[in-house]
Amino acid sequence: MSEKKFPIPPFSLEDAKKKIQMAEDGWNSKDPIKVSMAYTVDTEWRNRNQFVNGRDEVQAFLKDKWENELDYKLKKELWVHSDNRIAVRFEYEYRNKENQWFRAYGNENWEFDENGLMKKRYASINDLAIKEEERKFK
């Protein structure tokens, strides 16, 4: 039996928004195994200048990310969607181990397989150093 992650393509506007909220909730859990289960076993990522392939690499990437991006909080919103693709824009905040806060801005392009698992994720992200009192997400 194949893994399925509902909703599955083709996506309606409501389905796309649900997928985005599920992704936001998953990433905010900061649980690399839970998050990785939304992706195909052979998922392909470009995250900034890093290339990540497969769930095992996703789990290692996310474990490292959340060990270094402390107090991580993410917000995503729909940009556009089609049958099996969704584009989002997002921002998230975190602090590093030296207690410098950052807000990261970016866009992601997602492609899903027929079972609703994400097979491709391409993320472009920029970080802006901020003061703690400038935080939006607490």
Side-chain angles (χ1 to χ4, degrees):
M1 184 174 154
S2 297
E3 296 176 78
K4 290 194 184 259
K5 188 76 168 178
F6 291 92
I8 58 175
F11 298 127
S12 66
L13 176 60
E14 182 179 309
D15 290 340
K17 288 181 177 180
K18 185 173 183 178
K19 275 289 199 204
I20 292 165
Q21 188 61 58
M22 291 168 63
E24 180 181 305
D25 293 345
W27 281 63
N28 280 328
S29 77
K30 298 180 280 290
D31 180 338
I33 294 172
K34 175 183 176 181
V35 172
S36 73
M37 298 311 291
Y39 300 89
T40 61
V41 172
D42 61 348
T43 191
E44 297 175 16
W45 287 20
R46 180 186 50 77
N47 194 87
R48 301 175 196 241
N49 63 349
Q50 292 180 280
F51 294 86
V52 179
N53 294 290
R55 279 191 190 153
D56 290 341
E57 287 187 20
V58 165
Q59 290 172 10
F61 170 86
L62 293 173
K63 181 179 181 294
D64 182 64
K65 175 184 182 65
W66 291 319
E67 285 175 357
N68 291 292
E69 294 182 4
L70 308 173
D71 298 317
Y72 176 94
K73 180 70 174 167
L74 167 73
K75 293 299 240 176
K76 292 183 182 280
E77 68 178 30
L78 175 67
W79 184 254
V80 68
H81 79 284
S82 67
D83 291 339
N84 72 329
R85 293 181 175 163
I86 299 174
V88 298
R89 56 186 180 183
F90 63 87
E91 57 185 323
Y92 65 88
E93 294 175 345
Y94 67 93
R95 67 178 172 83
N96 64 18
K97 291 177 180 177
E98 290 76 41
N99 286 322
Q100 171 61 59
W101 282 93
F102 295 89
R103 185 173 304 119
Y105 297 95
N107 299 293
E108 291 177 332
N109 298 312
W110 301 341
E111 184 177 321
F112 295 85
D113 73 1
E114 66 279 359
N115 295 312
L117 296 168
M118 195 182 302
K119 64 181 178 179
K120 295 184 181 177
R121 175 186 171 269
Y122 301 117
S124 298
I125 307 167
N126 298 300
D127 293 299
L128 174 68
I130 61 172
K131 296 176 183 171
E132 185 172 5
E133 58 269 15
E134 296 175 311
R135 292 176 54 212
K136 292 182 184 179
F137 312 130
K138 298 181 183 186

